[in-house]
Amino acid sequence: MQATAIDRPAAGRNGIPESDALAVESRGDAVVARLRGAWTLETALTVDAAMRALAERSDRAVTLDAAAVTRLDSAGAWAIRRTAARLEQRGVAVEIVGLDAGLRAILDKATLSDPAAMVAPPPRWSLPRFLEQLGRHVVEAAGTGRGLLGLLGLVVAALGRVVLRPRRLRGIAVVAQIEATGVTALPIVGLLCFLVGVVLAYMGALQLARFGAAVLTVNLVGVSVLREIGILLAAIIVAGRSGSAFAAQIGTMKVNQEIDALETMGLSVVDVLVVPRVVALVIALPALAVFADVAGLAGGAVVCLFLLDLSTGQFLAQLASGVTIWSFLVGLIKAPVFAVVIALVGCHNGLGVSGSAESVGRQTTRAVVESIFLVIVLNAIFAIAFAEMGI
């Protein structure tokens, strides 16, 4: 293997190698180093020796004249900053002049880190700081709630116009959203609800067998799946899939200025983007809830048939005796409410994107967290309300 020869610049009259990118001239006890051209990685490699020699001079002041610098990258900026730092460390006055404002920003970011600098300690807990953060979160939550209520009002008004003029509803968009939010979610909803039904039946059978009431596992699975588990799992999965998709789609449209284009054409963003998604989810989520109920009961039936030695007829008979029609309707009543909340939260966060890719990701994550939180809170409210009504 042959070594590659590197041409070194000839030494100048100041004892510092000169090149097209660097020229050094002495003025009494001061030195002016003129930087020229493109200070990129390639240039930094060629002037490295010259910059190191300049950093070791014993002059009282050094001026780095960068007025003729046309380009600057991180390597060139680091070479300049390293030289200035070395001179300042030796007590030499250093001044960097003439650098363009845009290139100055690159140079400022190349500041050398001080290994001796102390790491700032984390702020200590205090009651005023805690109250301040709590108040900020409360105000932010109130603003989010106000925005959601405002969007709900716009959607209700838009649906009222649709009732008066049904042709205003964009049927193709609604069908496309039903497929995206409902049909494509069937496999994951069915699988998870089936497995949850298996786990619920297995753990219930182990506990109830201690009291000689293992057959009541059927009642446990039926009531819990139909009233709570089925709709709750379906809503959480839809919030993770469709709520995030709504926020990402609308947020990307806003970043690409498609929202502005719709408004310029005189189209309502609520009519075009929000209403089809709300209507589609209100149709799709109840259907997914029914499918989730069937999958959860099927998972519980598998455990009961094999672990408790029940026949299919016995399982169905016990299920019919322990589960009323209200157990099924309670879960189904929640579905449209959850659907409206998930759709509104996703669309609201999508419309709240500020115009950058980072904002899209932040608002998408926020949509998932807020929709799941609201679904669980509403589910608890429904449970208490139905219990108070004796249902």
Side-chain angles (χ1 to χ4, degrees):
M1 181 176 180
Q2 297 181 349
T4 302
I6 301 178
D7 294 332
R8 301 293 183 185
R13 56 186 176 181
N14 298 291
I16 298 176
E18 293 186 352
S19 65
D20 293 337
L22 176 65
V24 180
E25 58 182 75
S26 298
R27 295 181 179 178
D29 57 354
V31 169
V32 176
R34 304 190 185 279
L35 315 181
R36 300 186 293 258
W39 274 65
T40 58
L41 176 61
E42 182 179 358
T43 303
L45 293 174
T46 59
V47 301
D48 181 65
M51 296 297 284
R52 289 181 181 274
L54 177 63
E56 299 301 326
R57 289 182 62 94
S58 58
D59 301 271
R60 295 180 60 183
V62 174
T63 300
L64 300 178
D65 186 357
V69 174
T70 58
R71 291 178 57 195
L72 186 66
D73 66 2
S74 58
W78 183 83
I80 297 172
R81 182 62 68 181
R82 182 195 62 183
T83 302
R86 175 58 179 162
L87 289 169
E88 291 174 350
Q89 185 180 7
R90 296 176 51 244
V92 179
V94 182
E95 185 179 9
I96 303 175
V97 298
L99 192 61
D100 179 77
L103 302 181
R104 170 70 67 172
I106 299 177
L107 182 65
D108 292 340
K109 291 185 179 298
T111 302
L112 301 178
S113 60
D114 184 5
M118 295 293 293
V119 178
R124 301 177 63 179
W125 184 90
S126 63
L127 182 60
R129 182 185 298 274
F130 171 76
L131 294 177
E132 177 189 359
Q133 294 177 349
L134 179 61
R136 185 180 294 111
H137 291 318
V138 170
V139 172
E140 183 179 356
T144 301
R146 179 182 178 183
L148 288 174
L149 288 176
L151 184 58
L152 176 61
L154 293 175
V155 170
V156 171
L159 290 175
R161 293 191 295 268
V162 169
V163 171
L164 297 177
R165 296 180 59 185
R167 295 186 62 180
R168 293 179 62 95
L169 183 64
R170 299 175 180 271
I172 296 178
V174 172
V175 173
Q177 291 298 330
I178 290 175
E179 180 183 5
T181 60
V183 177
T184 58
L186 288 174
I188 185 64
V189 170
L191 177 61
L192 290 183
C193 290
F194 178 84
L195 295 177
V196 170
V198 169
V199 173
L200 189 63
Y202 186 79
M203 298 304 297
L206 291 180
Q207 298 301 319
L208 292 174
R210 299 180 179 181
F211 307 98
V215 70
L216 295 181
T217 303
V218 179
N219 303 53
L220 172 66
V221 172
V223 173
S224 58
V225 168
L226 293 178
R227 291 180 66 100
E228 303 293 339
I229 302 298
I231 179 58
L232 191 59
L233 280 179
I236 290 175
I237 294 171
V238 168
R241 292 182 75 256
S242 303
S244 60
F246 292 170
Q249 291 166 359
I250 297 177
T252 304
M253 292 179 67
K254 191 167 184 181
V255 171
N256 294 334
Q257 298 182 345
E258 297 176 47
I259 302 293
D260 297 335
L262 289 174
E263 294 176 345
T264 302
M265 291 186 292
L267 298 175
S268 171
V269 176
V270 175
D271 291 343
V272 175
L273 299 178
V274 180
V275 170
R277 286 171 167 81
V278 173
V279 173
L281 207 57
V282 169
I283 297 173
L285 189 54
L288 283 175
V290 174
F291 183 73
D293 291 342
V294 174
L297 292 177
V302 169
V303 173
C304 292
L305 295 180
F306 288 95
L307 187 63
L308 304 180
D309 294 329
L310 293 178
S311 64
T312 305
Q314 290 174 324
F315 177 84
L316 294 176
Q318 184 65 27
L319 183 65
S321 64
V323 175
T324 64
I325 187 63
W326 274 107
S327 298
F328 172 71
L329 292 179
V330 163
L332 205 58
I333 291 172
K334 302 176 186 177
V337 179
F338 292 169
V340 171
V341 169
I342 294 170
L344 287 179
V345 170
C347 295
H348 178 262
N349 281 280
L351 293 172
V353 170
S354 60
S356 64
E358 180 184 2
S359 179
V360 174
R362 182 172 59 253
Q363 293 298 109
T364 301
T365 303
R366 185 173 178 176
V368 175
V369 174
E370 288 181 356
S371 56
I372 293 177
F373 172 77
L374 289 177
V375 163
I376 294 176
V377 170
L378 288 174
N379 186 68
I381 294 174
F382 272 117
I384 296 173
F386 287 136
E388 291 295 328
M389 291 185 291
I391 298 177

